[in-house]
Amino acid sequence: MSARPIRIGLLGGTFDPIHIGHVALARAAQAAYGFDEIRFLPTAISWQKGETSTAAHHRLEMVRRAIAHHRGFMLDDREVRRGGNTYTVDTLGELRGELGQDAVLVLLLGSDQLRNLATWRRYRELLALAHIAVTRREQISLARLPEPVEQLVAEHGRDTLPNSPNGAIVFFGMPFVPVSATRLREQLLDGERPRAVLPEGTLDYIEHHQLYRPAGGQR
């Protein structure tokens, strides 16, 4: 009997900063699908969001600290090393080339990202390279999706994640976590210290490097 192929979850984002919602999503996906590893992939420049407020080396280190004590979680810095605008299809192509045709790659998305999927570069090619697993995020509905996305779900939706390398869209649940990076940056800019919504060690790093301060207040 052949061994089950390696199963890898992929969670991309600016992580500006990483917060407990990101970690909760990864943990819920791990519980749902039993990944051998989950890779956190900070962007260089998100082509949809533009420049981040925090330099890439700081965002990488915050992710590194946030996931240090979670078994199977790892940091993949390829998008930062590649530089320029980050396109997920390029990253998946690189990973598929490195990991081979049998690896089960699963792109982890929130429902907000699924709704916008048709705006992504070469979005129809994503499922030729990986599966997509979606969870609800920030109370954003999965009902009445944009027509191209609805069609994609109708064609590729599955009840369970298959052991094939790519091609399915599946859905998993997670507890609602009331946090957003935008609001978090506003709180930090206002001098608040919202430790409860930041992973262990993240706020200490932010304070030490004077991140998310008014213009001229960072170093």
Side-chain angles (χ1 to χ4, degrees):
M1 183 175 179
S2 61
R4 176 176 71 82
I6 188 170
R7 184 176 283 196
I8 300 175
L10 306 167
L11 182 59
T14 55
F15 301 114
D16 190 19
I18 189 169
H19 54 65
I20 61 170
H22 298 126
V23 177
L25 190 156
R27 290 180 64 182
Q30 178 68 285
Y33 303 120
F35 292 114
D36 296 289
E37 61 187 53
I38 293 182
R39 299 191 183 195
F40 287 68
L41 293 127
T43 61
I45 300 173
S46 171
W47 67 272
Q48 288 189 319
K49 296 180 180 179
E51 294 280 358
T52 59
S53 63
T54 309
H57 70 279
H58 286 311
R59 294 185 289 112
L60 287 171
E61 185 57 30
M62 285 189 284
V63 172
R64 192 189 315 277
R65 292 175 180 230
I67 66 177
H69 303 295
H70 293 274
R71 185 177 180 181
F73 290 7
M74 63 177 290
L75 173 64
D76 188 324
D77 67 353
R78 74 182 56 239
E79 294 183 345
V80 169
R81 285 188 283 107
R82 192 165 68 224
N85 287 336
T86 294
Y87 298 105
T88 299
V89 69
D90 296 333
T91 299
L92 293 179
E94 283 185 7
L95 286 163
R96 180 57 69 194
E98 292 173 12
L99 297 169
Q101 297 306 308
D102 294 332
V104 180
L105 302 182
V106 185
L107 182 62
L108 306 177
L109 301 182
S111 52
D112 56 335
Q113 294 167 307
L114 179 67
R115 294 194 70 84
N116 292 329
L117 194 64
T119 69
W120 290 25
R121 186 181 193 181
R122 292 157 45 204
Y123 75 98
R124 288 191 172 275
E125 296 179 31
L126 298 174
L127 287 165
L129 296 164
H131 301 295
I132 296 175
V134 185
T135 191
R136 180 184 298 279
R137 183 175 181 270
E138 298 173 4
Q139 303 286 31
I140 296 173
S141 175
L142 288 168
R144 290 189 290 277
L145 295 167
E147 192 277 332
V149 179
E150 191 75 60
Q151 181 178 350
L152 208 63
V153 172
E155 293 172 358
H156 297 275
R158 301 290 184 272
D159 292 331
T160 58
L161 181 67
N163 276 331
S164 57
N166 55 273
I169 299 176
V170 292
F171 297 87
F172 66 100
M174 66 172 284
F176 174 61
V177 182
V179 59
S180 78
T182 300
R183 175 57 184 148
L184 184 49
R185 288 192 297 271
E186 291 171 352
Q187 290 176 287
L188 291 164
L189 188 64
D190 288 342
E192 298 179 40
R193 292 296 174 260
R195 190 177 295 274
V197 297
L198 289 164
E200 182 180 355
T202 308
L203 182 57
D204 293 338
Y205 185 87
I206 288 170
E207 291 181 330
H208 179 73
H209 292 279
Q210 300 182 35
L211 306 178
Y212 308 105
R213 299 287 181 89
Q218 296 187 19
R219 68 167 182 255

